[in-house]
Amino acid sequence: MTDKKLISSLQGLRAVAFLCIVLSHCGVSWLSPWAITVFVALSGFLMPCNYYDRPPTAPGVRSAMAFSLQKIRKLYPLHLIMMATALLFVLKGLLVQPSVRGALSCAAQLAVSIFLLQTWIPSSRFWFCLNGVAWYLSVQAFLYAIFPPLLTVLKKADACRLRCIAAAVFCAQCLASFVFWKAGFNETTVFYLTYLCPLFRAGDFTISCCMGCLYHSRKQVSTLPRGVFSLLELAAVLLAGGCLFIAAGQVGVLGAASFRYNVLFIPSAVLLVWLLAVGKGFISRLLSAKPFLWLAGLSPYGFLIHQVLIRYMEWFADKFNLTVHPVVWTLTVLLLTLCLSSFYKALECRVRQRHAKAAT
């Protein structure tokens, strides 16, 4: 299995997760926890594959922060653009009803968003402030920062120990979720602790990093026939579908808020990422098709663009008293998101080319 094939199959999954995020913000909200768990699993799995054989990063907090900034710098300018675009709504409200408290709140939200601190503040006023989806960039910045020391530890572990670490972390997450459930925490608190909190998300990330290290260090390629792998991939998809059914219907204990925002989806997400990385089944080949790869290439930009776009579309629809069918609305959101993402990506490429010419 080549690295190109590995990236292709997993990028196809990234495209599907991105579509689920767009759908969730257009009304199918129960898709979002699965998609975010897949994003974290993909990141954790691919990071060891990309950095396992590279020279280790220097130890220390400063080095970890530099590594994190290097990883997010590609999307950070777009984050600032979308943050400023969303800020116009807040400023409009201040102009209508000016107040010192409102101005201070706006300044606080701006500072929190600039420094990507949204998910470190246990207050719903800040989690989704300005461009709401930027909370994931806040979590990702932390995960990138802990990756260099985490990889150093995982590289010292053999295959058996890596499996034990992954199992222990997952059990710890399940135990924490069980404690939250038994303690009777309200849904807002549980939502923050299991879905948004970077420390809890570090568990998903660590599990996936363990699987990435196992994949990288495996010595033998599986000899299972393609048909068997296709069945395994289908089983992983059905498992994910079953988890979505539990979350959407809030069925049983696993459908409780303490579980349905995270730990419910971790096994199926990690299993699906692993099987698609091997890439021998039908679903893997399907997700490696060019349309999925094209969509995956736009997904990082579309992720940051689409929610602010939805807010402007809602404002426009209210202003002109328009009623749009949900399907038409969703397709319009997706189409405009892809158009804006393509425009930004082309602009970014042109700016890079100019910088490269100036450097030479």
Side-chain angles (χ1 to χ4, degrees):
M1 182 58 53
T2 64
D3 289 339
K4 183 177 180 181
K5 178 64 177 177
L6 167 65
I7 294 173
S8 296
S9 57
L10 296 187
Q11 291 307 312
L13 179 61
R14 188 186 303 278
V16 173
F18 165 67
L19 288 175
C20 288
I21 289 293
V22 174
L23 287 173
S24 72
H25 291 143
C26 289
V28 195
S29 59
W30 44 269
L31 285 174
S32 186
W34 175 81
I36 292 297
T37 305
V38 167
F39 280 144
V40 175
L42 284 170
S43 179
F45 186 89
L46 288 173
M47 288 291 284
C49 295
N50 292 330
Y51 289 92
Y52 196 94
D53 295 324
R54 298 189 188 185
T57 305
V61 175
R62 182 176 297 180
S63 177
M65 291 182 64
F67 180 83
S68 178
L69 290 173
Q70 182 183 12
K71 292 294 294 181
I72 68 170
R73 67 179 181 178
K74 181 179 179 181
L75 288 177
Y76 192 72
L78 180 58
H79 161 63
L80 294 179
I81 292 171
M82 300 314 299
M83 180 189 69
T85 306
L87 182 63
L88 295 177
F89 281 103
V90 180
L91 294 178
K92 180 185 176 184
L94 281 176
L95 289 175
V96 175
Q97 293 182 336
S99 68
V100 175
R101 183 176 181 181
L104 291 175
S105 177
C106 177
Q109 290 183 10
L110 190 61
V112 165
S113 295
I114 290 174
F115 293 103
L116 296 176
L117 298 175
Q118 301 96 310
T119 51
W120 292 102
I121 303 176
S123 170
S124 57
R125 288 172 49 200
F126 294 101
W127 298 338
F128 304 127
C129 62
L130 301 180
N131 186 14
V133 294
W135 74 267
Y136 182 73
L137 201 59
S138 170
V139 171
Q140 202 65 42
F142 171 71
L143 298 182
Y144 286 143
I146 68 171
F147 175 74
L150 177 62
L151 182 61
T152 301
V153 173
L154 297 181
K155 286 172 70 172
K156 297 177 182 178
D158 58 18
C160 181
R161 188 168 297 180
L162 285 171
R163 295 188 185 96
C164 290
I165 292 172
V169 171
F170 181 63
C171 288
Q173 286 184 294
C174 290
L175 179 60
S177 296
F178 180 78
V179 170
F180 300 154
W181 177 60
K182 293 298 289 185
F185 290 171
N186 62 52
E187 184 160 350
T188 301
T189 301
V190 169
F191 176 75
Y192 170 73
L193 290 174
T194 61
Y195 187 71
L196 301 173
C197 182
L199 295 176
F200 201 91
R201 283 293 176 185
D204 312 17
F205 186 72
T206 300
I207 293 169
S208 303
C209 282
C210 289
M211 302 309 293
C213 289
L214 281 170
Y215 180 88
H216 182 274
S217 60
R218 77 196 198 288
K219 296 180 179 179
Q220 294 181 349
V221 178
S222 176
T223 57
L224 290 175
R226 289 185 181 276
V228 174
F229 258 97
S230 294
L231 290 176
L232 290 174
E233 290 175 357
L234 179 60
V237 170
L238 291 176
L239 177 61
C243 293
L244 286 169
F245 174 79
I246 292 172
Q250 301 182 20
V251 179
V253 174
L254 293 178
S258 298
F259 298 94
R260 70 172 181 267
Y261 288 117
N262 191 334
V263 296
L264 172 63
F265 296 107
I266 292 175
S268 61
V270 173
L271 177 62
L272 190 57
V273 167
W274 174 274
L275 291 172
L276 293 179
V278 176
K280 294 182 64 176
F282 169 76
I283 295 176
S284 174
R285 296 195 300 276
L286 176 65
L287 292 178
S288 299
K290 289 184 179 180
F292 284 105
L293 299 184
W294 173 78
L295 183 59
L298 295 179
S299 63
Y301 312 106
F303 183 83
L304 288 175
I305 288 172
H306 78 280
Q307 196 167 44
V308 176
L309 172 64
I310 289 173
R311 291 179 65 183
Y312 274 90
M313 288 177 60
E314 289 173 342
W315 171 82
F316 183 84
D318 289 340
K319 185 175 181 63
F320 293 95
N321 197 25
L322 297 176
T323 302
V324 185
H325 190 278
V327 174
V328 176
W329 175 268
T330 303
L331 290 176
T332 305
V333 169
L334 181 60
L335 179 61
L336 290 177
T337 297
L338 295 178
C339 289
L340 291 172
S341 300
S342 298
F343 173 77
Y344 182 84
K345 185 177 181 179
L347 182 64
E348 182 186 57
C349 290
R350 181 166 294 186
V351 170
R352 287 185 177 182
Q353 289 173 357
R354 289 185 177 180
H355 278 263
K357 288 181 180 179
T360 57

